[in-house]
Each structure stands twice: as structure tokens, then as C-alpha cells.
Amino acid sequence: HSCARPGPFFAGLSLGCKKALGFSAQSPMVFPEKIFPRAVKPLHSPQICVILNKKPLMRQRGIFLASDLKFAVLIDADNVSDKYIKIILDEISNDGIATYKRIYGDWTKPALVSWKSVLLDNSILPIQQYNYTTGKNSAMIIDAMDILYSGQVDGFCIVSSDSDFTRLAARLRESGMIVVGMGERKTPKSFISACNRFKYLDILAQAEPAVQK
């Protein structure tokens, strides 16, 4: 495909992106759907690329830096230990910025007490989710869809070792979202396959001491 250039057929683009592309504030430009489908395609400058929803990402030495991507991090407290919180946040920082950080569980249960100090230290918002209903994960699913339709994120990080979120991950991908899954090796294959990529927290935890040495 040919590179997009300023012209009457292009609508407005944000000032920051125009400057990154080398155009003035008055230069009209947009990424037409027919020229740039939802995939990585080169733009006017060799230093810029477009990924998924056509947001600009800087490229350096052939490597795409995803630092501008915004993620919603949704954690299933009932199926993930608080000992993994540093790994979770460090790993998602490699993919982008965690603009939403929410954790779901029944906070009346003593088993989740250990999470409380971790939440304050990492600015994670706890959401009450009772387990006495059949759809015990409904709060996270409803929040995920609300965030999706807000248009404020490029992807989701779903942290759980539960297969309950398989359909949610698939639905988010159908809407063009990047879905990063995190959980332990016991996570069902169905959920792993529904994500764009999956990170095993217990394996990463084992690797950390070796890296520090």
C-alpha cells in the first residue's frame, strides 16, 4: 500500500501526531480504512507505524515500541495470589500503560485480606463481587464491556487462572482489542487460546531470582 499524505480527502488528526509525522497543525490527515486495515502498516515517515486501531507508535531499529498503548488490567483475586502483583504490573508495562487497574473478589472473605495492603501500594481499585450467585464473575465482565465501549483503551490484561473468562477474552478480541492473559500453569487451555498472548505467572516468578543473581 502507498503511504498516506496530506490532502482534501483526509480529516483531522491530533496535533501531537501531526508533529510526530512532520506536518504542521494545519495539515489535514487521517488514516483511511481502505489504505490501512487493522494491521501494522508504514506511514509517511519511516519512524512511525500504525497498529490495530491506527494509533501511532514510534519505531526504533525495526522494533515497535508499544509504550503508547493503553490497557485495562482486570484481576480475579479469587484465582490469583497477591505475591504476583509486581510481576503483573511489570509485565503489562512492557506492553503499554495500565490506565485501569481493578481487582475483583468477595472482600468479606478472610482469604483476600493479604491483598489489601498490596492494593493501596499499587493504586488498584477493589470491586466487590459476591460468590453466592452462579455468575460470580459478572462484575468483571460488565466492567470490561463498559471499558470497551468507552473507547479509552487499546487492550485488556485479564489476570486469572479460571476458564470463566474465555468468552470475555474472545469477545474483546472480536472488537479489535489486544488481550493479554496472565495466570498459572494450571490455567485451562481454552482461556489461554482465547488471548492474543498468555504469560505464566508462576514461571515468571521462578525466573526472577535467577535474573537477580
Side-chain angles (χ1 to χ4, degrees), residues 13-15 18-19 21-28:
L13 188 65
S14 68
L15 177 60
K18 284 181 180 179
K19 288 182 177 180
L21 290 168
F23 296 112
S24 67
Q26 290 74 34
S27 300

Side-chain angles (χ1 to χ4, degrees), residues 21-187:
L21 290 168
F23 296 112
S24 67
Q26 290 74 34
S27 300
M29 184 174 176
V30 80
F31 309 116
E33 293 288 344
K34 291 184 180 179
I35 297 179
F36 294 105
R38 290 186 304 176
V40 177
K41 298 294 179 185
L43 286 183
H44 182 75
S45 167
Q47 296 299 317
I48 305 294
C49 74
V50 170
I51 185 170
L52 294 178
N53 63 349
K54 300 165 288 300
K55 292 202 173 188
L57 302 178
M58 298 306 297
R59 184 176 71 180
Q60 183 177 13
R61 297 180 182 178
I63 301 175
F64 296 111
L65 304 179
S67 58
D68 288 339
L69 294 179
K70 297 178 181 178
F71 280 85
V73 180
L74 309 180
I75 304 171
D76 176 15
D78 292 320
N79 287 287
V80 175
S81 171
D82 62 288
K83 68 182 180 181
Y84 295 127
I85 190 60
K86 182 180 183 301
I87 295 173
I88 293 168
L89 297 178
D90 285 349
E91 286 297 316
I92 202 60
S93 69
N94 294 329
D95 295 307
I97 303 167
T99 54
Y100 291 85
K101 293 185 288 184
R102 297 181 181 178
I103 187 167
Y104 303 80
D106 186 350
W107 301 104
T108 63
K109 292 166 57 177
L112 299 186
V113 170
S114 60
W115 271 106
K116 292 186 177 179
S117 62
V118 173
L119 305 185
L120 292 173
D121 292 342
N122 294 279
S123 300
I124 302 173
L125 178 65
I127 307 294
Q128 176 65 31
Q129 186 166 257
Y130 292 104
N131 290 339
Y132 53 69
T133 59
T134 53
K136 67 182 182 69
N137 294 314
S138 58
M140 183 193 289
I141 294 171
I142 291 170
D143 268 9
M145 298 311 293
D146 285 344
I147 295 169
L148 169 65
Y149 290 122
S150 74
Q152 299 299 312
V153 298
D154 305 291
F156 286 79
C157 175
I158 302 176
V159 186
S160 178
S161 298
D162 194 337
S163 62
D164 288 358
F165 300 105
T166 299
R167 180 62 192 130
L168 174 61
R171 176 65 180 82
L172 294 172
R173 287 185 65 183
E174 288 170 0
S175 297
M177 293 286 104
I178 304 168
V179 180
V180 178
M182 296 188 192
E184 295 182 326
R185 279 173 285 189
K186 65 182 181 182
T187 304

